[in-house]
Amino acid sequence: MESAEIARRFLRFFEERGHKVVPSASLIAEDPTLLLVPAGMVPFKPYFLGQRKPPAARLASVQKCVRTPDIEEVGKTTRHATFFQMLGNFSFGDYFKEQAIPFAWELLTRSESDGGFGFPEEKLWVTVYLDDDEAIDIWHNKVGVPMERIQRRGLEDNYWHMGVPGPGGPCSEIYYDRGPEYGKDGGPVADEDRYLEVWNNVFMQYQLSAVRSKVDFDVAGELPAKNIDTGMGLERMATILQGVDNLYEIDTTYKILDSAAELTKTRYGRDPRADVSLRVIADHVRTGTMLVADGVMPSNEGRGYVLRRILRRSIRNLRLLGSGDERYMHELTEVTINAMGDTYPELKVDAPQIHAVIDAEEASFLGTLRTGTAIFDVAVEETKRKSGTTLSGEQAFQLHDTYGFPIDLTLEMASEQGLKVDEEGFRRLMKEQRQRAKADAAAKKTGNADISVFGQLLENAGKVEFLGYDETSAESSVVGIIVDGASVPVAGAGSTVEVVLGRTPFYAEGGGQLADQGVLRTSGAEVDVLDVQSPIKGLVVHRGKVRAGELRVGDEVQAEVDVERRKAISRSHSATHLVHRGFKNALGESAAQAGSENSPGRFRFDFTAAGAVSPSVLRDVEDEVNAVLINDLKVNAFYTSQAEARAMGALAMFGEKYGDEVRVVEIGDYSRELCGGTHVHSSGQLGLVKVLGEQSVGAGVRRVEALVGIDAFRFLARESLLVAQVTEQLKVRREELPERIEGIVTRLRTAEKDLEKLRSAQVLQIAGELASQAHDLHGVSVVTHRAPDGTGPDDLRKLALDVRGRFPGDRPAVVVLAGVPSDRPVVVAAVNEAGRERGLKAGRLVGVAAKALGGGGGGKDDVAQGGGTRPEAIDEALRMVAETIAGQLA
């Protein structure tokens, strides 16, 4: 039974039993305590906590999930994976154990011809929490499972929570006995390789507060209702129903694995080491594809770091299989899209954008591997010179953080050199970095408040009504005040506050649009609003400072948005839509929006692209957009179903997930896009759009920045004045400026080349003198010299080679020169063949000097170059080189 059919049967079964089928939520978690969705119930957490009302009392879904704590184990075993899919049925205060347990048993044991999965009853075992006699009674007396196949287990195995404060409860799991060939008898407590968990019924009834570990947590109390959260791993079900040994051999995963084997000319099952790499590739390419499809972009922090790490592990393992510099990720991504497309049709729709991001990351990392290897060699040389046996955690972290070198690659290459790596130190630094990134992201949304404070406000006050599409000033009331992370009834002058109103005209930051600013006025207080956020869906929080008086919960308030700022931001937002359409027209559908920021008078727009965008394309897009402004097209916004919006050709932000009802903003017939932001009434109100340029902001993502309205006009006015000043100084007409400037630049370059030749000649004049002053160290002629400041790296290299060439071929010679071309020191070493026969290597000597200079470097045995940041240490560096040579020859 194919994976897609397993999912269809599950959803159909529960739909027939009154469950509303909902699509998978994005892998990007709404919960600020999580980077990615690690479990099927995560999108429903607000329903379990009573913070939001679910769309129905019974839901069913197939949820995409990613877990990375055991990423190093992926591939080494056949049990670990980063991406998986959870089939789940959920009840929010509706049914509980007495129905959830029979539902699970019926679907698993019903024959395939009747829409079930056809599991023989005698092959199923059940576990329950230690003291859950109620569940045991249902399993034994209602379902009919013999007591000898029901086992009690403790917190470690049969109590479920998210690992963070939130809902939790005891659970009851169903296991499938794969037979004695897979392990020993005795049920799940004896062997979980033989007895494979297929279904987990979680009886979600408690609110957990402090969660210190899987088995150490505090129970704050009961949830508002008793709920059901079930999870059935799609990949595990496919393993059983497809009659294979593990999740790497099921239909979706094996297609990727087999393709990787074919591309690298290997075969699965022949070489254990190659099998590990093939499993890593199969899992990680699938995970990476799904993350990119949900809008995650490679970066060095947060979920972007997770994606980058996963993609780079894939590429690294392809190289271990002998791919060299060949680029195979495009083909493997295509296989993944086809394998998963039946369940997630959006993969095929967004294929061009997915390919653009992954292809670019592959190209970038292949370059990183070359650079990082050179830096790694210097670190190894330094460690060995000090008679060390371990690369420091700081060195490993620098390789990762600065050069993108994955830790598993550092570990492997260090092992090949007979060295270890301080993994504990590396992981400590990585943990600190992740905690900083996570705290920064959470602070933006939640400030100093715990998420539960916002949840309580939402529960008490209900969803905040947004009036800002039609109004910039409105009467409302204060329903909540937060100071220093806690809810308070009153806040006095000078207090930094977070204010929740019952209704508001203020736009909360989102969709790339910056938050509104303005003022809140009551009969006794004034509050300057400096930021507006939506920490949880349905809640709008106004952040600012009480300027005067006392603000109280229950106060009637006049909320007034800074109108001029709102208008400027709205112009930028509308301009972003036009530029989005313009780039799609110029570059094709693969140019999809990957982010934006709409500020007063200016905006930046990120989009997927394989490479740099030429100036001519930028000019064409700018011209096209300004033509739309001249035509003064009407801007219209309306609500419709997502399916209807797609049918109309409405653009959506790449990776963004939308509800069943969406808001569409259209600008005449030119642009139609899903958007929740504020906009102008007609395109002519933008006045002018000026594109400033473009740049790379990550693998496969480009960024353009532009000015709008009066800001664009002022920019062009300044440019016009600058051109006028240049034409006056050069005494030419404007149209003659390019030719005149080109002539001046050409003459300047010629003069610089002549000066360079003169400088080089002067430098080389001292070559004979340096050779004659060589020191003899154990039969080796050694020249160390500091060149005059301003001597360029090329001149240093020429001089070193010239000096080296002045020694007889049978005379071992080493030349090490250092200088400061501008503000940073450079060192060059050259060793002749006779010197290399004595064991002297230029690369090692440069590494010694560069370390003293506060930098790094390397090269071949005959000639090498490096640099640093400490020009004052040149004399010390040359001395250390001489000592190293003497010590090696002694």
Side-chain angles (χ1 to χ4, degrees), residues 12 32 49 71 108 158 165 175 208 211 219 225 330 375 468 682 745 827:
R12 185 168 56 242
L49 294 174
I71 191 171
L108 287 175
N158 276 75
Y175 289 78
L208 309 186
V211 178
V219 177
H330 189 95
I375 305 301
S682 66
V745 171
V827 61

Side-chain angles (χ1 to χ4, degrees), residues 121 300 351 486 570 586 635 651 741 744 796 813:
E121 293 187 8
N300 287 331
S570 297
V635 178
L651 300 179
I741 293 174
I744 293 173
L796 274 178

Side-chain angles (χ1 to χ4, degrees), residues 96 171 175 460 629 800:
F96 201 50
C171 63
Y175 289 78
N460 294 340
L629 307 192

Side-chain angles (χ1 to χ4, degrees), residues 808-888:
D810 58 350
R811 174 66 176 175
V814 176
V815 181
V816 182
L817 307 179
V820 185
S822 54
D823 60 338
R824 290 175 176 267
V826 172
V827 61
V828 175
V831 182
N832 66 6
E833 184 175 353
R836 297 194 297 276
E837 290 175 355
R838 293 287 301 272
L840 299 171
K841 298 180 180 180
R844 181 176 181 229
L845 297 176
V846 159
V848 171
K851 176 65 175 177
L853 295 173
K860 298 180 180 178
D861 292 346
D862 62 335
V863 62
Q865 179 175 317
T869 59
R870 301 175 57 223
E872 71 277 6
I874 284 182
D875 292 339
E876 178 190 354
L878 294 176
R879 179 181 57 77
M880 290 183 66
V881 167
E883 291 178 354
T884 300
I885 295 171
Q888 185 172 341

Side-chain angles (χ1 to χ4, degrees), residues 187-447:
V189 297
D191 191 336
E192 288 198 12
D193 283 329
R194 170 175 171 174
Y195 299 90
L196 197 65
E197 179 200 335
V198 295
W199 197 306
N200 187 8
N201 289 279
V202 181
F203 309 125
M204 200 76 78
Q205 59 194 104
Y206 299 110
Q207 167 72 56
L208 309 186
S209 52
V211 178
R212 292 170 290 274
S213 72
K214 172 71 174 165
V215 298
D216 184 14
F217 50 84
D218 295 336
V219 177
E222 294 194 355
L223 292 171
K226 291 184 176 181
N227 311 294
I228 287 295
D229 156 35
T230 77
M232 182 170 75
L234 177 54
E235 285 75 13
R236 286 193 179 180
M237 284 294 291
T239 299
I240 297 169
L241 293 171
Q242 293 174 16
V244 296
D245 283 343
N246 58 71
L247 62 88
Y248 288 97
E249 297 176 8
I250 65 173
D251 55 345
T252 52
T253 315
Y254 193 76
K255 290 175 183 177
I256 311 168
L257 187 151
D258 192 46
S259 179
E262 183 179 350
L263 289 169
T264 56
K265 297 179 173 56
T266 55
R267 288 191 64 180
Y268 187 63
R270 285 189 172 181
D271 178 0
R273 292 188 64 183
D275 288 352
V276 170
S277 289
L278 288 170
R279 287 193 289 266
V280 170
I281 294 164
D283 172 78
H284 284 10
V285 172
R286 189 166 76 139
T287 305
T289 299
M290 302 305 292
L291 285 170
V292 174
D294 273 357
V296 181
M297 295 292 167
S299 70
N300 287 331
E301 60 183 27
R303 59 181 67 94
Y305 164 71
V306 173
L307 171 61
R308 171 158 284 167
R309 186 182 182 198
I310 282 170
L311 292 178
R312 292 188 169 190
R313 279 173 59 89
S314 304
I315 298 162
R316 165 60 179 161
N317 279 275
L318 282 167
R319 285 175 64 86
L320 288 177
L321 293 176
S323 67
D325 286 337
E326 292 291 330
R327 295 171 59 176
Y328 292 145
M329 291 295 285
H330 189 95
E331 290 94 329
L332 294 172
T333 303
E334 186 67 28
V335 172
T336 304
I337 290 171
N338 290 333
M340 304 296 293
D342 285 346
T343 305
Y344 306 101
E346 64 270 19
L347 292 176
K348 296 181 179 179
V349 175
D350 293 334
Q353 296 93 309
I354 297 170
H355 280 306
V357 173
I358 294 179
D359 290 352
E361 181 66 14
E362 181 180 33
S364 172
F365 185 50
L366 290 176
T368 291
L369 282 173
R370 289 187 288 270
T371 304
T373 299
I375 305 301
F376 172 84
D377 290 342
V378 172
V380 168
E381 191 70 34
E382 177 194 343
T383 302
K384 289 185 175 180
R385 180 172 60 82
K386 295 179 178 178
S387 301
T389 59
T390 304
L391 290 179
S392 70
E394 289 78 7
Q395 288 172 315
F397 180 74
Q398 182 190 28
L399 278 165
H400 157 77
D401 194 50
T402 305
Y403 302 101
F405 232 47
I407 183 61
D408 55 339
L409 177 54
T410 301
L411 289 168
E412 182 170 338
M413 292 176 64
S415 177
E416 292 169 357
Q417 295 288 335
L419 298 175
K420 297 179 180 178
V421 178
D422 177 12
E423 290 187 70
E424 183 178 344
F426 170 82
R427 299 192 190 287
R428 173 178 51 79
L429 292 169
M430 282 297 305
K431 183 179 180 181
E432 290 173 0
Q433 184 190 61
R434 281 196 294 269
Q435 287 175 338
R436 285 193 299 270
K438 192 172 182 179
D440 289 345
K444 178 65 176 173
K445 282 289 183 186
T446 64

